[in-house]
Amino acid sequence: DAEITQSPRHKITETGRQVTLACHQTWNHNNMFWYRQDLGHGLRLIHYSYGVQDTNKGEVSDGYSVSRSNTEDLPLTLESAASSQTSVYFCASSATGVDEQYFGPGTRLTVT
Amino acid sequence: GDSVTQMEGPVTLSEEACLTINCTYTATGYPSLFWYVQYPGEGLQLLLKATKADDKGSNKGFEATYRKETTSFHLEKGSVQVSDSAVYFCARSPPGNQGGKLIFGQGTELSVKP
């Protein structure tokens, strides 16, 4: 069965370190998304991609970057982790612009 | 801009009670509408969807009807169970020029007591 996976599921890192969160989907979807989820803020879009070599900023992109070198993967990099980036991160993918998104299980990141 | 508004939670119900979670959306274009459910410690799962006016989405005893005249997509269930305790998110597809970025509501937490 097709799926979307994230790794690691839990990560503790120190302020200032570079961190990369992995997202891999086997749906062969063109669209991929990264969200963060915090209490009181719901889901907020960080970055998204509509295909290989395409990346776009979402509403909370400062301090984050993504790259899309193939259809299956969209890694999220925190260039210099800050305590404000402690959150749960979700990756998602969709086939087209009006289709539902399929979500990964999430990565809980703690920045100390 | 475009938005989705849900009733605020938390909502606490007794088992077998009726559930309604209100959701309204801004009416730009002809969006698809979705309800997602998030169980504790998990990612969001699609619960149901509707793609055009008057469509009814249904799954696991939950229903929602796409009401264009009231721009609403309220989630209903006739008899909730403890296992329905979760956070529920309403979402709409974006206007035609904004690709696949779904617009989510803030989420409504449901707690069902035995």
Side-chain angles (χ1 to χ4, degrees):
Chain A
D1 285 350
E3 61 178 356
I4 180 165
T5 57
Q6 294 183 236
S7 62
R9 294 295 312 279
H10 302 272
K11 174 79 176 176
I12 300 174
T13 192
E14 295 177 344
T15 301
R17 298 246 183 178
Q18 184 181 80
V19 177
T20 297
L21 309 183
C23 174
H24 180 80
Q25 53 98 2
T26 58
W27 294 96
N28 200 34
H29 285 164
N30 285 327
N31 301 338
M32 295 185 73
F33 309 86
W34 273 104
Y35 297 89
R36 60 178 289 175
Q37 185 177 37
D38 306 285
L39 277 175
H41 290 279
L43 287 167
R44 292 186 288 177
L45 184 63
I46 305 171
H47 280 287
Y48 58 102
S49 168
Y50 291 147
V52 176
Q53 302 301 331
D54 176 75
T55 62
N56 305 279
K57 294 181 179 181
E59 61 182 306
V60 289
S61 60
D62 287 349
Y64 303 93
S65 63
V66 293
S67 62
R68 187 93 179 268
S69 59
N70 58 52
T71 300
E72 296 80 17
D73 299 289
L74 187 69
L76 177 71
T77 297
L78 286 68
E79 304 293 345
S80 177
S83 57
S84 60
Q85 295 175 309
T86 293
S87 186
V88 180
Y89 291 86
F90 289 101
C91 180
S93 70
S94 68
T96 72
V98 295
D99 281 339
E100 62 268 28
Q101 291 181 10
Y102 294 86
F103 281 78
T107 294
R108 183 174 295 276
L109 177 68
T110 302
V111 182
T112 61
Chain B
D2 291 284
S3 63
V4 172
T5 303
Q6 295 180 229
M7 64 186 287
E8 289 195 16
V11 174
T12 302
L13 295 174
S14 298
E15 204 165 25
E16 299 185 2
C18 294
L19 169 72
T20 300
I21 300 178
N22 292 334
C23 171
T24 57
Y25 63 93
T26 53
T28 308
Y30 302 93
S32 295
L33 301 173
F34 309 91
W35 276 102
Y36 283 83
V37 59
Q38 185 180 28
Y39 299 105
E42 299 184 11
L44 278 71
Q45 303 174 24
L46 180 67
L47 181 59
L48 54 84
K49 70 176 184 179
T51 58
K52 60 184 188 296
D54 300 323
D55 268 2
K56 178 185 285 188
S58 61
N59 186 25
K60 299 182 181 179
F62 291 90
E63 292 183 340
T65 301
Y66 191 141
R67 302 284 188 201
K68 190 168 185 288
E69 65 276 11
T70 55
T71 63
S72 65
F73 193 54
H74 304 322
L75 183 68
E76 298 177 325
K77 187 174 186 182
S79 176
V80 294
Q81 306 300 312
V82 172
S83 57
D84 294 326
S85 298
V87 180
Y88 293 82
F89 291 89
C90 185
R92 60 154 285 168
S93 61
N97 63 347
Q98 294 187 25
K101 293 184 295 175
L102 294 185
I103 300 166
F104 286 91
Q106 285 292 91
T108 302
E109 182 179 0
L110 171 66
S111 178
V112 181
K113 306 297 185 187

